[in-house]
């Protein structure tokens, strides 16, 4: 590597001093030819490499910056001929698809073509050449495109008579590359110039304003751009192509209402329609899933089209297919696609491409591969084909379909290779190599697209963890990768995982600037990350900062459920800020905004502790509407039912029971509720059981759940008897195991009542009640084929309850079917009489046995 010569250093210094900001200085002499550089240690940034041929081109740029200096001239006729040939070569390059063009060759050719000014050659660059060159720069990516455009800006600023009216094109192209700050700077420069160095077109404020409007929409600053457009409309300066551009932008955002509002304004103002606008409106019609409304709008568009004597072309129907594809109306898509392919023998690239995309979306690999072969024949469609194949995990098919080695190194091909690198299975093992691939690509001057920047970080997060993903985000953005809203949302998710650091606040503040300027139709905010951000703001900046962030996020077109309600609720509850909490809760309930589990229980605990039962009931009804009632903890339900019982709120009590049945709440909740109600009033407990079974569609299942809920409770006998009674009311025959569970619950409680007479619960369930409960359930249990041992135990308890209780047992045995009467039942009755020392009872039992000829069962 050789050092720069003195005259070369002087040339670079002149260019260096032309710009004030450091980034622009680097852009002037950083290489656009990416290979084989040499060091320049004595320049202000000695570590930057430059190419020898590029320095020669930069030296030639003085022919434009000092075009009137007699010391600057073309050396001989051979240089003049070379410059003339460069103009023709540049035009040939710009006529090709950008994917087929080497950007280094374009740069060198342009540098030579600029010399035609000094040589006064007949073949010179004209305004059309400059327009196409500037448009080509939008395909170079942010890094290379910025360098190229800034050099063109220098040339245009010093030779306006040679390159007229191209400053406005620079404004739009800067914005397309994500360089809105440069677009604003140039817009201010053009608008503020009153000298004769600008032609009539640049002096036309309407034209310049329109270019800035395009730039703002391209940079997602829709609101500011719309203000400029509305001013143009009021000044009667809006042209058809302006309406088309805005309609297209709104359709791409799937903001159908705004697109048709512009269409209505066109009709009202009698703005002429063209096929491009009609085709975009076709996409908007198909995006609407409301079939009747979409049909009505399509009929209006067709009628307006005919009034302007326009007829639908293939692009119109392809527009419909695009809308059906984006709105997932697959039936409509299939029908229209079949008709188009049947009526058109010649293939249409746009038609094949949308069919390929739809097939990939639906997982139809065979059709996708077939369409990919057709679409890949067009070089400009190669990025779309590679994206689809990678999405289907068929990246291995790309080399066979697309010979990438035959294409020159440019930003488009670099992004295609990056797409393949992201899909490479080796990334899962070595994710750091993906980051190295991207950084190496950027060192060569290529820029990842907005989408791929996010995909790189996301893939590294998935395969390499959060810390490596944060490193990827920081290094990529520091190297000049574009920051889209999706990239910043992903960064917010990464940083918000650690709520002890403030990095997420910086990302949010940058994201806020973008979102405040945009006019998206829908936005998906990562709810966990947003909540974590609110917690960081509360801790680091205070509640006012968190409230301000909440208020801003509330203005965005996103689901209200994604807003950070829970952190604010938690702070208000812990700080006892009742008034603010009530305002927030009113908003939540009025708009049916679903809360997280923690948010639901924070609100419920606050309400049951500080509000009346009607307020708690209304909040629970809101939870039912938002399908979040199941988030409520058992303790909240326990307190709520206790409040209902204490305040005699039967209507809220009945609704709550029905709501629990409807959401199929687990038996543990019923256990808590039953224990709570039983200690207050057993009548309320009985009403709860009957109501739960009545409201349930699966009554036996509900009965079994209630029995399970009280299997170890002191109140299991009461609930078991109530369950059996409720089933008898609805003429539902319980199974043998269920009746066995009912009898066992009563028998166990009876034994505990006898043995543990000192317990509180035992005294509240009388022996008389238990005897009556057994008497009510013996016959149904026998019919359900409950084991004889359990029936015998029940009869023994009944007959031993009093000297004359054997009569009740004999009555039960009499009511049994003859085939179900067994000797152990009579024996149990006789043992009960023996316990009461009732000889009369024993003799009566023996008489009945002999009378009915009861014999032992084998």
């Amino acid at each position: 590597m050789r050092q720069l010569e003195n005259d070369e250093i002087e040339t670079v210094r002149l260019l260096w001093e032309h710009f004030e900001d450091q980034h622009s200085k680097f852009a002037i002499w950083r290489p656009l030819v990416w290979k084989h550089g040499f060091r320049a240690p004595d320049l202000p940034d000695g570590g930057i490499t430059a190419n020898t041929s590029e320095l020669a081109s930069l030296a030639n740029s003085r022919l434009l910056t000092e075009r009137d200096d007699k010391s600057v001239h073309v050396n001989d006729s051979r240089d003049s001929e070379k410059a003339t040939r460069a103009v023709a070569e540049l035009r040939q390059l710009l006529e090709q698809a950008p994917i087929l063009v080497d950007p280094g060759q374009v740069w060198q050719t342009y540098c030579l073509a600029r010399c035609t000014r000094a040589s006064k050659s007949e073949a010179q660059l004209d305004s059309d050449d400059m327009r196409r060159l500037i448009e080509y720069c939008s395909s170079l990516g942010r890094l290379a495109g910025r360098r190229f455009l800034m050099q063109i800006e220098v040339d245009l600023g010093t030779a306006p008579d040679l390159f007229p009216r191209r400053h406005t094109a620079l404004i739009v192209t800067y914005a397309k590359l994500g360089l809105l700050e440069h677009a604003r700077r140039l817009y201010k420069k053009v608008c503020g110039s009153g000298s004769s160095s600008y032609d009539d077109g640049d002096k036309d404020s309407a034209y310049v304003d329109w270019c800035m409007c395009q730039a703002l929409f391209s940079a997602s600053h829709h609101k500011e751009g719309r203000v400029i457009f509305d001013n143009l409309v009021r000044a009667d300066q809006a042209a058809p192509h302006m309406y088309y551009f805005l309609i297209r932008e709104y359709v791409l955002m799937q903001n159908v209402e705004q697109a048709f509002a512009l269409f209505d304004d066109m009709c009202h103002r009698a703005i002429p329609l063209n096929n491009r606008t009609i085709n975009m409106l076709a996409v908007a019609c198909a995006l609407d899933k409301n079939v009747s409304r979409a049909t009505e709008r399509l009929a209006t568009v067709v009628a307006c089209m005919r009034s302007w004597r326009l007829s639908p072309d293939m692009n119109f129907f392809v527009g419909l297919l695009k809308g059906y594809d984006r709105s997932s109306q697959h039936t409509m898509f299939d029908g229209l696609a079949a008709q188009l392919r049947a009526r058109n023998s010649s293939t249409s690239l746009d038609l094949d491409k949308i069919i390929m995309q739809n097939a990939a979306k639906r997982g139809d690999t065979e059709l996708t591969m077939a369409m990919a072969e057709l679409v890949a024949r067009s070089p400009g469609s190669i990025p779309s084909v590679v994206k689809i194949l990678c999405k289907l995990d068929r990246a291995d098919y790309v080399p066979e379909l697309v010979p990438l080695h035959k294409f020159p190194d440019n930003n488009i091909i670099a992004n295609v290779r990056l797409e393949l690198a992201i899909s490479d299975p080796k990334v899962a093992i070595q994710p750091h190599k993906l980051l190295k691939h991207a950084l190496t690509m950027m060192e060569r001057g290529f820029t990842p697209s907005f989408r791929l920047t996010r995909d790189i970080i996301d893939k590294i997060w998935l395969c390499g963890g959060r810390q490596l993903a944060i490193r990827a985000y920081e290094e990529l953005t520091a190297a000049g990768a574009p920051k889209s809203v999706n990239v910043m949302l992903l960064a917010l998710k990464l940083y918000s995982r650690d709520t002890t650091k403030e990095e997420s606040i910086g990302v949010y503040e940058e994201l806020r600037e973008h979102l405040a300027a945009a006019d998206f139709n829908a936005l998906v905010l990562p709810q966990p990350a947003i909540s974590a951000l609110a917690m960081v703001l509360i801790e680091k900046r205070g509640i006012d900062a968190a409230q301000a962030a909440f208020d801003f996020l509330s203005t965005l077109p996103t689901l209200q459920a994604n807003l950070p309600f829970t952190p604010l609720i938690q702070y208000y509850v812990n700080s006892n800020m009742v008034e603010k909490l009530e305002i927030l809760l009113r908003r939540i309930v009025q708009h049916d905004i679903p809360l997280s589990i923690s948010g639901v229980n924070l609100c419920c605990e606050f309400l049951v502790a500080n509000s009346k039962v009607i307020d708690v009931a209304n909040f629970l009804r809101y939870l039912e509407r938002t399908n979040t009632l199941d988030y409520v903890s058992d303790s909240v339900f326990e307190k709520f039912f206790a409040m209902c019982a204490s305040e005699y709120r039967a209507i809220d009590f009945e609704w709550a029971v029905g709501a629990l049945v409807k959401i199929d709440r687990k038996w543990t909740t019923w256990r808590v509720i039953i224990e709570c109600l039983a200690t207050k009033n057993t009548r309320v407990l009985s009403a709860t059981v009957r109501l739960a079974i009545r409201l349930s569609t699966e009554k036996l299942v509900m009965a079994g759940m209630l029995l399970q809920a009280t299997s170890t409770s002191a109140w299991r006998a009461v609930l078991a008897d109530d369950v059996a009674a409720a089933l008898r009311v609805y003429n539902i025959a319980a199974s043998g195991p269920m009746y066995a569970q009912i009898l066992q619950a009563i028998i166990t409680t009876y034994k505990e009542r006898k043995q543990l007479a000192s317990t509180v619960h035992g005294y509240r369930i009388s022996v008389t009640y238990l005897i009556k409960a057994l008497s009510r359930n013996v016959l149904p249990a026998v019919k359900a084929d409950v084991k004889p041992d359990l029936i015998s135990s029940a009869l023994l308890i009944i007959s031993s309850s009093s000297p004359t209780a054997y009569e009740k047992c004999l009555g039960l045995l009499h009511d049994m079917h003859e085939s179900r009467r067994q000797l152990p039942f009579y024996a149990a009755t006789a043992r009960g009489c023996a316990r009461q020392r009732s000889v009369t009872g024993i003799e009566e039992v023996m008489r009945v046995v002999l009378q009915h000829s009861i014999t032992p069962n084998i």
Side-chain angles (χ1 to χ4, degrees):
M1 292 185 180
R2 68 173 179 82
Q3 297 297 316
L4 297 180
E5 300 295 340
N6 291 333
D7 59 338
E8 294 172 331
I9 293 176
E10 180 62 24
T11 300
V12 175
R13 286 191 186 280
L14 288 173
L15 294 171
W16 187 276
E17 294 169 359
H18 185 81
F19 291 97
E20 296 179 357
D21 63 290
Q22 189 79 350
H23 210 86
S24 300
K25 292 179 179 180
F26 293 166
I28 287 298
W29 62 296
R30 267 184 167 174
L32 281 177
V33 183
W34 325 110
K35 302 175 182 178
H36 309 299
F38 58 87
R39 293 285 178 183
D42 49 349
L43 285 176
D45 184 60
I48 296 178
T49 60
N51 186 282
T52 307
S53 61
E54 183 190 353
L55 280 174
S57 299
L58 287 173
N60 286 333
S61 69
R62 295 179 65 187
L63 298 176
L64 290 176
T65 57
E66 302 177 9
R67 62 189 184 282
D68 295 327
D69 191 341
K70 294 181 180 180
S71 63
V72 180
H73 59 277
V74 178
N75 293 329
D76 53 33
S77 59
R78 287 177 298 178
D79 291 337
S80 177
E81 292 176 1
K82 185 183 294 186
T84 302
R85 288 196 302 270
V87 173
E89 184 180 351
L90 180 62
R91 289 171 179 170
Q92 291 177 358
L93 289 172
L94 296 178
E95 288 176 356
Q96 301 181 54
I99 195 173
L100 302 175
V101 179
D102 183 350
Q105 185 180 1
V106 174
W107 169 257
Q108 293 183 19
T109 307
Y110 169 66
C111 289
L112 289 173
R114 288 180 302 176
C115 297
T116 57
R117 172 61 174 171
S119 65
K120 299 181 180 179
S121 171
E122 294 181 1
Q124 295 189 3
L125 293 176
D126 57 23
S127 60
D128 288 335
D129 295 329
M130 295 306 297
R131 174 185 56 80
R132 288 189 294 172
L133 181 62
I134 294 171
E135 290 176 355
Y136 165 77
C137 289
S138 64
S139 69
L140 295 179
R142 187 175 186 177
L143 298 176
R146 182 180 187 274
R147 300 166 189 162
F148 211 146
L149 288 176
M150 293 190 73
Q151 182 58 56
I152 294 174
E153 184 181 342
V154 173
D155 299 340
L156 295 178
T158 55
D161 56 330
L162 180 61
F163 307 128
R165 201 178 181 183
R166 294 279 68 85
H167 289 80
T168 46
L170 278 169
I171 293 173
V172 177
T173 308
Y174 268 132
K176 287 181 179 179
L177 293 173
L179 300 167
L180 184 60
E181 67 277 7
H182 287 281
R184 291 186 186 278
R185 173 182 56 77
L186 193 55
Y187 173 66
K188 183 178 179 181
K189 173 183 176 181
V190 174
C191 291
S193 174
S195 65
S196 59
S197 61
Y198 294 98
D199 66 328
D200 294 337
D202 280 341
K203 289 180 179 179
D204 182 358
S205 59
Y207 178 76
V208 177
D209 286 349
W210 166 241
C211 289
M212 192 61 203
C213 176
Q214 292 181 76
L216 290 167
F217 266 85
S218 298
S220 296
H221 283 237
H222 312 112
K223 295 178 182 177
E224 188 179 352
R226 187 58 189 267
V227 171
I228 295 177
F229 176 77
D230 291 341
N231 291 336
L232 291 172
V233 172
R234 281 191 291 270
D236 199 21
Q237 296 290 334
H241 69 276
M242 300 180 185
Y243 279 95
Y244 159 73
F245 177 83
L246 262 67
I247 288 175
R248 185 192 67 182
E249 290 295 316
Y250 282 122
V251 169
L252 290 175
M253 292 188 290
Q254 299 193 22
N255 194 336
V256 177
E257 299 303 324
Q258 285 287 0
F260 276 101
L262 286 169
F263 170 65
D264 293 339
D265 189 60
M266 289 184 74
C267 296
H268 175 71
R269 298 176 182 274
I271 303 292
L273 284 174
N274 53 40
N275 280 105
R276 294 195 307 168
T277 306
I278 291 295
N279 296 339
M280 272 298 148
L281 290 170
V283 180
C285 291
L287 282 172
D288 195 344
K289 291 185 178 181
N290 187 322
V291 179
S292 60
R293 183 173 57 197
T295 303
E296 182 180 350
R297 283 176 169 174
L298 185 59
T300 303
V301 171
V302 172
C304 189
M305 176 176 59
R306 289 175 178 171
S307 68
W308 290 100
R309 297 182 179 181
L310 299 174
S311 57
D313 54 12
M314 174 59 75
N315 291 330
F316 177 84
F317 296 107
V318 171
L320 288 173
L321 287 178
K322 289 179 180 179
Y324 293 141
D325 174 64
R326 294 175 190 172
S327 58
S328 298
Q329 299 184 63
H330 299 311
T331 303
M332 299 290 290
F333 183 95
D334 291 340
L336 181 57
Q339 291 184 30
L340 291 178
R341 292 190 66 84
R343 293 180 181 180
N344 294 273
S345 56
S346 60
T347 59
S348 167
L349 176 62
D350 291 335
L351 178 60
D352 292 341
K353 185 184 292 187
I354 191 62
I355 292 175
M356 175 188 70
Q357 293 172 356
N358 182 262
K361 185 177 181 179
R362 297 160 70 174
D364 189 343
T365 305
E366 183 177 354
L367 179 58
T368 304
M369 300 298 288
M371 290 293 103
E373 291 184 6
L374 297 176
V375 176
R377 296 173 185 174
S378 171
S381 301
I382 287 176
S384 300
V385 172
V386 174
K387 174 185 174 183
I388 292 296
L389 293 179
C390 290
K391 187 178 294 185
L392 292 177
D393 293 330
R394 290 303 309 271
D396 57 316
Y397 187 62
V398 172
E400 178 182 346
L401 192 63
V402 182
L404 294 178
H405 64 280
K406 295 183 179 181
F407 289 85
D409 276 346
N410 54 47
N411 198 70
I412 300 173
I413 293 298
N415 274 271
V416 168
R417 290 196 172 98
L418 181 59
E419 184 100 53
L420 293 171
I422 295 173
S423 302
D424 190 345
K426 295 179 182 178
V427 172
I429 304 173
Q430 298 175 315
H432 62 279
K433 286 193 173 182
L434 176 59
L435 176 58
K436 184 178 179 181
H437 179 104
L439 292 174
T440 303
M441 164 185 166
M442 298 181 72
E443 288 174 1
R444 298 174 60 207
F446 302 126
T447 311
S449 66
F450 288 93
R451 177 181 63 85
L452 289 181
T453 300
R454 185 194 185 283
D455 290 349
I456 293 167
I457 301 170
D458 199 23
K459 187 73 172 183
I460 291 175
W461 189 6
L462 177 65
C463 301
R466 173 175 163 269
Q467 291 301 326
L468 185 59
I470 291 176
R471 174 188 158 195
Y473 169 76
E474 292 175 347
E475 292 188 7
L476 288 173
T477 53
K483 289 184 182 180
S484 65
V485 170
N486 287 332
V487 169
M488 286 185 284
L489 286 173
L490 180 59
L492 188 64
K493 291 170 65 176
L494 287 168
Y495 286 117
S496 63
R497 293 297 182 96
D498 189 354
T499 56
T500 62
K501 298 182 179 180
E502 296 189 35
E503 284 85 351
S504 59
I505 298 178
V507 176
Y508 163 72
E509 290 174 347
E510 189 175 3
L511 177 64
R512 173 173 178 160
E513 293 181 6
H514 284 73
L515 295 178
D519 189 19
F520 296 118
N521 183 49
L523 185 67
V524 179
L525 294 177
Q527 199 277 332
I530 296 298
S531 295
L533 169 67
M535 294 173 65
V536 174
L537 286 170
I538 291 173
E539 181 179 351
K540 304 295 184 180
R541 304 284 178 86
I543 187 61
D544 292 339
Q547 183 66 59
F550 178 87
D551 294 339
F552 168 72
L553 295 172
S554 301
T555 64
L556 300 177
T558 185
L559 293 176
Q560 295 289 295
N562 293 334
L563 298 180
F565 285 99
T566 300
L568 293 182
I569 291 171
Q570 184 177 1
Y571 184 87
Y572 292 153
V573 169
N574 294 338
S575 303
N576 199 29
M577 301 174 69
V578 178
E579 184 177 351
K580 287 193 173 183
L581 179 61
E582 289 177 348
I583 294 173
L584 195 61
L585 290 182
R586 278 198 295 271
R587 173 180 176 176
I588 292 171
V589 173
Q590 288 174 2
H591 298 282
D592 286 342
I593 302 170
L595 292 175
S596 63
I597 295 178
S598 57
V600 165
N601 284 286
L602 280 170
C603 293
C604 288
E605 292 288 354
F606 174 82
L607 289 173
V608 296
N610 300 280
S611 304
K612 296 182 179 179
V613 65
I614 188 172
D615 297 325
V616 182
N618 288 335
F619 189 77
L620 293 177
R621 287 186 173 92
Y622 139 77
L623 295 178
E624 183 187 37
R625 292 194 303 271
T626 55
N627 298 317
T628 54
L629 185 62
D630 205 28
Y631 293 173
V632 180
S633 65
D634 292 344
S635 62
V636 170
F637 280 122
E638 177 186 6
K639 295 172 184 176
F640 172 71
F641 277 98
M643 293 171 68
C644 288
S646 300
E647 299 183 25
Y648 302 101
R649 292 286 302 180
I651 185 171
D652 295 326
F653 171 83
E654 292 180 1
W655 169 84
V657 172
L660 287 176
V661 171
K662 186 176 179 180
I663 65 174
D664 196 20
R665 189 73 177 204
K666 293 182 179 180
W667 63 270
T668 52
T669 303
W670 292 105
R671 179 180 62 188
V672 171
I673 294 172
I674 289 168
E675 289 291 338
C676 172
L677 294 178
T679 57
K680 292 184 175 295
N681 192 328
T682 54
R683 291 183 180 179
V684 177
L685 174 62
S686 299
T688 304
V689 172
R690 290 194 298 270
L691 186 61
I693 294 177
R694 176 172 66 85
L695 297 176
S696 176
T697 55
E698 299 289 339
K699 292 180 171 50
L700 280 176
V701 175
M702 188 69 222
M705 186 183 298
L706 292 172
L707 291 173
Q708 182 184 9
T710 55
S711 59
T712 59
S713 171
W715 305 96
R716 55 184 175 273
V718 178
L719 187 132
D721 186 39
D722 290 335
V723 167
L727 292 177
R728 287 194 294 271
V729 169
Y730 296 104
N731 296 320
I732 297 175
S735 62
M738 182 172 290
Y739 260 115
Q741 193 174 356
I742 292 171
L743 285 184
Q744 188 64 57
I746 301 173
I747 291 170
T748 303
T749 303
Y750 174 82
K751 291 178 180 180
E752 291 178 354
R753 174 67 178 80
K754 284 291 189 180
Q755 296 174 3
L756 304 174
S758 60
T759 61
V760 176
H761 294 302
Y763 281 117
R764 298 190 65 176
I765 302 177
S766 66
V767 173
T768 303
Y769 169 80
L770 295 173
I771 297 301
K772 291 180 179 179
L774 283 174
S775 302
R776 286 191 290 267
N777 292 288
V778 166
L779 285 180
V782 172
K783 293 180 181 179
D785 292 327
V786 175
K787 292 181 179 181
D789 292 345
L790 203 56
I791 302 297
S792 298
S793 298
L795 292 172
L796 174 60
I797 292 173
I798 295 172
S799 64
S800 63
S801 61
S802 69
T804 59
Y806 69 89
E807 297 177 355
K808 178 64 176 176
C809 293
L810 292 176
L812 293 173
L813 292 169
H814 179 269
D815 294 337
M816 289 182 190
H817 192 271
E818 293 181 1
S819 61
R820 297 184 181 275
R821 297 171 186 165
Q822 299 183 25
L823 184 60
F825 297 165
Y826 292 94
T829 304
R831 286 200 301 273
C833 294
R835 291 180 181 180
Q836 289 291 328
R837 300 180 181 181
S838 174
V839 177
T840 304
I842 295 173
E843 293 176 348
E844 181 63 20
V845 171
M846 291 297 298
R847 185 187 67 78
V848 172
V849 169
L850 295 173
Q851 178 182 352
H852 294 287
S853 302
I854 304 298
T855 57
N857 292 336
I858 299 175

